[in-house]
Amino acid sequence: MLFSKSFIPILKNNPSEAVIKSHKLMLRTGMIKQSSAGIYSWLPLGFKIMKKIEKIVRDEQDKIGAQELLMPTIQSSEIWKESGRYEDYGEEMLRIKDRQNREMLYGPTNEELITDIFRTSVKSYKSLPQLLYHIQWKFRDELRPRFGIMRCREFYMKDAYSFDITDDEAKFSYNKFFLSYLRTFKRLELSAIPMAADTGPIGGNLSHEFIILADTGESKIYTDKRIFEVNSDNTKVNKESLIDLRKDFEKYYAVTDEKYDKKIFEKEVPEEFRLKTKGIEVGHIFYFGDKYSQAMKASVDYQGKKEFVRMGSYGVGVSRLVGAIIEAKYNENDEIMKWPISIAPYECAIIPFIDKKNNTNLEKSKKVYDHLLKEGIEVILDDTDENFSSKIKKFNLIGIPFQIMIGNKTEENSFEFKELNENTQNISLEKIIKIIKNKKK
Ligand code: ATP
Ligand code: MG
């Protein structure tokens, strides 16, 4: 991509309406544009990042054997009346009437719709377990939409649903998702801690929220600090290790606000390990047994009778993750953002010093650009005649992890090259390519 042809509407200063750093940076670098309260357009830079996050989320769902489908955003009120949630959900649900005067709604979540799909298609326990997911826009008419895409009204979510025959097997499916979440957040270079959570309107009694520590987060958490040392690098997937998967975490007290009990906290956590702080919820998993299957009569044939299936649901805020990663990685004082290479909008930026009278540097840059493209590296070349230091500032904000600077002193095959937050080195193009490719592995 040539910067002159890109659609990256950068602002000179931080926008005054934003209070947290992710919101500021996303507006400043033209990642999003608000269209109405809590509703945003995703501009090319932001959209590229979100799509890459989505790919990682999808990949980790596929790896545990979940199958992707796509349900619509607009749902009929009928199934919500069956489950009893049509009234319960309250004003967060956006309700619509079609031209036949039928009550429709913009889905805030999909337990009802997936249960309806399941019950008409699956008849025998032999088809279980079923793990199904989709990645789709949701709408919740939040009372106080704020912080940009962190708490908005229309947002992009991965939601998965599991169907099993017994409680034990259902908890096994729960652990598979627990594992896939540990792996997903790790690939995004986030340290997200699973905390015991309340189940709210979804129902049930087993639930974890995956939380990233951040002062700007809206979730209050109470935890034993030792949970941060639990090794989440669990790559084993045999039955035994999955059954025990949560044990290491559950040794330590770690809960969200609604579950907090001062007495238990003080009894279970020695004073030096107590931490009360705030975080951002990036994922939430629930086990709720036969709550929906009973209400909606989703059963299968098992041992000569009809048995209601046991269900769980598993959400990741794909769009919220973009903001959460900025909260975790953006150094607001130095104005340097660095995206993990796996989700960076571009992997490398070429930043030439451009002299209006002489275009040798631009020509040198174009050669490097073509070469990197041929090597399969995603690259952006700043071919504008903006001055060099503001170009550098701009790319520090955009957060592309590698930069190649090209000036009058650049020799034949020795380039000023740096990884953000590291020292500059003078090296050949071959070495640059090797470094970038290594990082991508
Ligand atoms: P919160 O407690 O933040 O309101 P929730 O418990 O209502 O979230 P879930 O129903 O568990 O959310 O949805 C799954 C995921 O979707 C959340 O973990 C979060 O990452 C994301 N999410 C939920 N609400 C919003 C929102 N208003 N804007 C952006 N992302 C959201
Ligand atoms: Mg929640």
Side-chain angles (χ1 to χ4, degrees), residues 148-166:
I149 50 82
M150 296 285 254
R151 179 162 306 280
C152 49
R153 298 199 295 166
E154 193 182 45
F155 59 96
Y156 203 44
M157 193 211 278
K158 184 285 299 178
D159 40 324
Y161 304 87
S162 64
F163 300 86
D164 283 277
I165 194 71
T166 63

Side-chain angles (χ1 to χ4, degrees), residues 89 92 140 142 149-153 155 157 202 209 218-219 281-284 286 315-320:
Y89 219 93
E92 257 193 32
R140 294 182 187 173
E142 298 273 356
I149 50 82
M150 296 285 254
R151 179 162 306 280
C152 49
R153 298 199 295 166
F155 59 96
M157 193 211 278
I202 306 271
E209 284 183 12
E218 292 188 280
S219 306
E281 176 194 327
V282 285
H284 197 165
F286 305 86
V316 168
V318 177
S319 51
R320 180 182 282 181

